[in-house]
């Protein structure tokens, strides 16, 4: 197209793709270009605003590293990570809901026996909680030998890798379920905390007038061969920010109660939470549809 106008620019760009690119590339880029152009037209984006946006993306790249991907954080605060998770991991057979992984997972946490504590350092204002439950299949049968990685923030709102005063792998552990599908560990009541807001994601939060806080939660990564892996979080029903999570990751089905432990127990609180896994075969069949 030689004469580019407001009316033909979108067609000019989508039409410039070669015929032999993969169909999925064409599908993704045609929609992306259409929506991006429509967005610029709708808000009558000025040249200055566009340039500000490009500079902001440059800063997002600049602060990113192997250890920090600012673009994932930006997607989080725009609800894109949770949206993609819901699209890609739609519940089909009554299995437990997934939610975002977040940036604080670490490989190879300490392998601990059932009932062990993941607390390596005490905090003045901490409340200990014994978390227990069962991992079952979608028919309710217990699954033995399921690997469960758990991780959570400390009462100061920091994960151990954000805080030089916490021991390595504090508040992290790996557990295996017993024959009856049961798991159990001792952790701390998780505190609400701000997602990292010292970079481009924080600038965007300011721009949108949104806060960086997440409700108190414990992360779970659950896997066993033959089952679809589950990345999820459980939320304390008494925590703040359940209704306005900065990353929109809360699901009603993932909220549980932390209640006072029975007389004589060795923790302040207890929480019971079961997860249901679906077979990997069912997961693959749905993905192929
Ligand atoms: C988290 O829960 O650890 C998290 C999730 C998304 C962005 C930042 C943190
Ligand atoms: Fe988290």
């Amino acid at each position: 197209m030689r004469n580019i106008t407001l009316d033909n620019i979108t067609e000019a760009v989508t039409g410039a793709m070669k015929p032999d690119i993969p169909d999925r590339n064409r599908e993704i880029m045609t929609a992306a270009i259409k929506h991006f152009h429509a967005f610029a037209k709708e808000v009558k984006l000025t040249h200055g605003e566009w340039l500000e946006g490009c500079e902001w993306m440059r800063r997002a790249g600049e602060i990113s590293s192997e250890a920090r991907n600012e673009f994932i954080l930006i997607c989080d605060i725009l609800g894109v990570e949770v949206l993609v998770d819901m699209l890609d991991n739609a519940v089909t057979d009554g299995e437990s809901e997934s939610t975002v992984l977040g940036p604080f997972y670490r490989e190879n946490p300490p392998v601990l026996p059932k009932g062990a504590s993941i607390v390596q350092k005490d905090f003045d204002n901490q409340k200990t909680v014994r978390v227990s439950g069962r991992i079952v299949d979608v028919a309710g049968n217990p699954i033995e030998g399921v690997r469960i990685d758990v991780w959570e923030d400390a009462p100061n709102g920091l994960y151990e890798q954000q805080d030089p005063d916490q021991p390595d792998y504090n508040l992290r552990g790996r557990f295996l379920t017993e024959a009856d599908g049961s798991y159990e560990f001792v952790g701390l009541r998780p505190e609400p905390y701000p997602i990292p807001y010292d970079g481009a994601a924080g600038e965007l939060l300011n721009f949108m007038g949104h806060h960086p806080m997440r409700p108190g939660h414990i992360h779970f990564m659950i896997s066993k061969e033959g089952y679809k892996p589950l990345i999820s979080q459980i939320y304390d029903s008494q925590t703040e920010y359940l209704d306005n999570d900065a990353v929109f990751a809360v699901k009603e089905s993932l909220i549980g109660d932390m209640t006072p432990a029975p007389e004589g127990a060795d923790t302040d609180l207890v929480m019971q939470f079961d997860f249901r896994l679906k077979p990997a075969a069912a997961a693959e069949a749905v993905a192929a549809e």
Side-chain angles (χ1 to χ4, degrees):
M1 242 175 246
R2 175 169 289 199
N3 186 38
I4 297 295
T5 67
L6 270 178
D7 290 331
N8 68 19
I9 177 69
T10 305
E11 203 191 325
V13 180
T14 55
M17 287 183 276
K18 283 210 172 114
D20 57 351
I21 60 169
D23 288 347
R24 184 64 174 157
N25 294 19
R26 182 181 313 284
E27 186 181 12
I28 288 174
M29 287 316 299
T30 301
I33 293 160
K34 277 187 182 162
H35 285 281
F36 207 1
H37 286 204
F39 150 73
K41 283 181 175 172
E42 184 181 325
V43 302
K44 294 197 170 52
L45 199 66
T46 67
H47 195 269
E49 287 164 343
W50 164 78
L51 199 57
E52 241 183 80
C54 290
E55 273 302 301
W56 169 75
M57 282 194 274
R58 187 189 56 70
R59 291 194 292 280
E62 206 167 57
I63 203 168
S64 293
S65 64
E66 281 286 313
R68 174 172 184 165
N69 188 330
E70 196 70 4
F71 294 95
I72 297 180
L73 268 185
I74 289 166
C75 286
D76 283 329
I77 62 184
L78 294 176
V80 176
E81 186 180 356
V82 78
L83 171 63
V84 170
D85 181 53
M86 290 187 290
L87 290 170
D88 212 23
N89 294 309
V91 175
T92 55
D93 294 307
E95 72 274 20
S96 295
E97 285 192 279
S98 59
T99 192
V100 303
L101 173 68
F104 299 117
Y105 177 67
R106 284 183 71 191
E107 305 275 353
N108 302 316
V111 178
L112 298 169
K114 184 181 177 194
S117 175
I118 59 172
V119 185
Q120 297 185 43
K121 174 185 171 167
D122 289 324
F123 283 78
D124 288 344
N125 54 343
Q126 74 183 27
K127 285 261 184 276
T128 53
V129 58
R130 183 171 292 277
V131 182
S132 63
R134 290 198 324 145
I135 312 289
V136 296
D137 65 18
V138 288
N141 303 306
I143 315 176
E144 183 179 7
V146 179
R147 193 173 88 178
I148 305 177
D149 286 0
V150 296
W151 66 106
E152 62 168 336
D153 66 324
N156 62 0
L158 295 172
Y159 285 86
E160 51 87 21
Q161 72 264 60
Q162 300 176 290
D163 180 1
D165 293 331
Q166 285 183 51
D168 202 27
Y169 284 100
N170 187 36
L171 296 171
R172 294 174 190 276
R174 173 169 291 174
F175 298 87
L176 278 184
T177 56
E178 311 257 289
D180 62 353
S182 63
Y183 75 89
E184 188 175 318
F185 65 92
V186 172
L188 296 178
R189 175 170 243 172
E191 276 296 313
Y193 66 85
I195 65 164
Y197 62 96
D198 56 339
E203 289 182 51
L204 182 61
L205 284 170
N206 275 338
F207 188 79
M208 300 196 306
H210 199 201
H211 65 78
M213 299 302 290
R214 294 223 60 216
H217 58 274
I218 303 176
H219 292 264
F220 280 73
M221 183 183 280
I222 302 174
S223 57
K224 157 120 187 169
E225 217 186 304
Y227 294 88
K228 185 175 177 357
L230 177 68
I231 292 172
S232 203
Q233 305 176 13
I234 59 175
Y235 295 89
D236 171 3
S237 61
Q238 298 309 305
T239 186
E240 247 189 290
Y241 304 108
L242 281 177
D243 293 307
N244 54 355
D245 179 9
V247 304
F248 307 97
V250 179
K251 311 279 175 70
E252 186 90 51
S253 71
L254 300 177
I255 301 174
D257 292 324
M258 292 191 177
T259 52
E263 195 69 35
D266 60 353
T267 59
D268 300 307
L269 304 163
V270 291
M271 182 182 198
Q272 222 276 328
F273 207 94
D274 296 342
F275 291 94
R276 287 177 309 281
L277 302 184
K278 73 175 163 191
E284 277 153 25
V286 170
E289 271 169 17

